[in-house]
Amino acid sequence: MTVQQTLSELVAIDSVSSRSNSRIIEYLQHRCERAGFAVKRFSYNDGNEKINLLASIGDDHSYAELALVGHTDTVPYDPNWIEATTLTEKDGKLFGRGACDTKGFIAAALTAIDNVDLDRLKRPPALIFTADEEIGLLGAKYLAELNPIRVRYSIVGEPTSLQPIRAGKGYALAEVIVRGREAHSAYPALGSSAVFRAARLVSRLEGIAQEVQSETHDGFDPPFTTLNVGVINGGTAKNVIAGECRFTLEWRPIPTQNPTLVLDRLHAAIEEEKKSDRDFDCEIDFSRKDSGFETSSESPLVTFLEDTTKKKAGSVAFGTEGAQMARLGSEAVVLGPGDIRHAHRTGEFVPIDDLNRCVEILTKAVDHFCC
Ligand SMILES: [Zn+2]
């Protein structure tokens, strides 16, 4: 079966994160078993059954020399995109939801393992297929927590136009709820404004954003941790002193920095506020604290992929499963066909050349590290 046929079958299985990924896992399990791999499922339930699939080989299923890792879920698609689940070829490109992010990589990985002569293997490869990457790397986190396998090297599929990515920033998210006391706006002394309090805190956060720029990491653009207050909501009417104001705070820490540093600074800022406003009332709901990852530029996986792709390894400022693979003991590199800028939109596509090239790269990688 060609990589294009495989991709077509993968795209035909709707695996938007809001549904169970059991159908695509069923397909992947069948393909892995047919290639001579033994599979294990690691499931959880978020209202739908979500499955991570680990396909391994050899006597000891608790170790892999090289893992190829792909997430099975996709972002939702516009119902007006009638060909979203029908892989469509045009001008050397293959269109369909997930074609780029990240079913193209999965199709290439399945094709690569079909190319490998299992009798030649000296060290075991593995395939890892995860759930819920698009909604917070949930499947990979679940798997990392269970720690079912130690992995020496891993290639994590994401659209990077086949550039090896050896470092990624982390991701942290909190909702900050600032409370005040409602009153008629004609009598401000009777209340205290949650909006004014939140504004003071946001202003301090702008200062924190400046402070954290002093710690830099050359591999990134921009080379420091970034902060964003993306949403703010407060108050109920123009003539009511606001009783509550909420805002989101997101930050992307460089991998050398503790992801909770910004949170620690925010707590310190709240303490400062309390000195001049004793009733300052604020709650922080911290929902994400994903670490970044960094694999040494001297890692054999990095140098192998740089040589094979003729591209220098880089970094990304968005979250990937590289950090979870590092928790499994792995030196991780993110790489895949297609461009991230063509993902997550109607008309998502992967270039056919990239797809074929990815099969070659992954086949060579298995050959190099496992034979
Ligand atoms: Zn992805």
Side-chain angles (χ1 to χ4, degrees):
M1 188 182 280
T2 67
V3 63
Q4 214 163 309
Q5 284 165 338
T6 299
L7 180 55
S8 166
E9 294 187 353
L10 288 168
V11 167
I13 305 170
D14 186 341
S15 59
V16 169
S17 315
S18 57
R19 356 166 125 238
S20 170
N21 68 338
S22 62
R23 275 181 63 217
I24 191 166
I25 290 290
E26 207 58 58
Y27 175 88
L28 294 168
Q29 177 167 343
H30 171 74
R31 288 289 301 260
C32 292
E33 285 174 340
R34 208 176 65 188
F37 284 67
V39 301
K40 277 190 205 154
R41 290 176 172 219
F42 300 90
S43 313
Y44 58 97
N45 199 304
D46 66 357
N48 290 301
E49 188 186 24
K50 299 297 177 72
I51 308 160
N52 296 291
L53 191 75
L54 169 60
S56 56
I57 208 155
D59 308 325
D60 182 8
H61 293 279
S62 60
Y63 176 76
E65 184 73 8
L66 175 69
L68 307 180
V69 184
H71 65 83
T72 59
D73 62 319
T74 70
V75 291
Y77 53 89
D78 183 337
N80 295 318
W81 183 15
I82 47 172
E83 287 171 324
T85 57
T86 307
L87 192 71
T88 310
E89 182 179 344
K90 194 169 179 256
D91 302 332
K93 298 168 184 159
L94 297 168
F95 293 82
R97 173 53 84 230
C100 176
D101 188 6
T102 240
K103 291 177 175 178
F105 175 87
I106 294 178
L110 292 173
T111 311
I113 58 151
D114 281 345
N115 290 344
V116 173
D117 176 3
L118 299 189
D119 294 336
R120 287 182 56 227
L121 294 175
K122 295 199 180 71
R123 291 167 295 274
L127 294 163
I128 298 175
F129 299 116
T130 59
D132 292 340
E133 189 270 350
E134 297 289 0
I135 52 173
L137 313 166
L138 302 181
K141 287 178 184 167
Y142 181 78
L143 200 65
E145 200 57 45
L146 292 177
N147 197 16
I149 188 166
R150 292 272 95 191
V151 177
R152 177 119 185 243
Y153 301 112
S154 57
I155 303 178
V156 178
E158 280 296 327
T160 69
S161 299
L162 301 176
Q163 182 195 8
I165 299 295
R166 66 172 187 85
K169 283 185 179 177
Y171 187 83
L173 181 65
E175 184 174 34
V176 182
I177 304 135
V178 181
R179 295 197 183 85
R181 198 170 62 253
E182 286 195 340
H184 194 296
S185 62
Y187 305 99
L190 298 178
S192 48
S193 168
V195 168
F196 282 154
R197 284 178 170 167
R200 292 200 300 269
L201 204 53
V202 170
S203 176
R204 285 185 184 271
L205 280 165
E206 200 177 2
I208 293 169
Q210 290 296 322
E211 283 163 35
V212 297
Q213 290 187 15
S214 63
E215 195 178 334
T216 58
H217 185 302
D218 284 347
F220 291 96
D221 177 24
F224 44 77
T225 297
T226 56
L227 264 73
N228 185 40
V229 175
V231 180
I232 187 161
N233 273 308
T236 53
K238 65 182 187 303
N239 52 2
V240 176
I241 292 181
E244 188 179 279
C245 183
R246 296 170 170 249
F247 61 87
T248 60
L249 171 65
E250 174 203 65
W251 65 102
R252 295 165 190 266
I254 52 177
T256 41
Q257 191 177 74
N258 186 335
T260 61
L261 175 81
V262 168
L263 195 69
D264 296 343
R265 298 271 172 107
L266 175 61
H267 279 300
I270 291 166
E271 289 311 309
E272 279 297 308
E273 280 302 316
K274 281 183 178 168
K275 284 181 189 163
S276 53
D277 179 1
R278 278 184 42 220
D279 298 327
F280 192 92
D281 181 4
C282 173
E283 184 188 320
I284 302 168
D285 185 1
F286 191 30
S287 54
R288 293 270 298 269
K289 55 166 190 301
D290 305 348
S291 319
F293 83 100
E294 181 174 21
T295 298
S296 161
S297 58
E298 261 126 62
S299 159
L301 181 63
V302 173
T303 52
F304 168 83
L305 289 171
E306 285 185 331
D307 290 347
T308 310
T309 60
K310 308 271 184 289
K311 289 180 181 179
K312 196 167 162 39
S315 66
V316 286
F318 53 84
T320 70
E321 294 167 324
Q324 286 71 44
M325 292 307 121
R327 282 182 63 194
L328 296 178
S330 170
E331 293 178 18
V333 172
V334 179
L335 174 139
D339 186 326
I340 191 78
R341 289 168 298 185
H342 301 143
H344 293 211
R345 65 175 208 194
T346 296
E348 169 178 353
F349 71 86
V350 65
I352 295 174
D353 285 350
D354 264 27
L355 191 63
N356 291 329
R357 187 78 189 104
C358 190
V359 175
E360 282 171 35
I361 295 164
L362 298 182
T363 305
K364 277 187 190 164
V366 175
D367 205 59
H368 180 85
F369 289 98
C370 300
C371 292

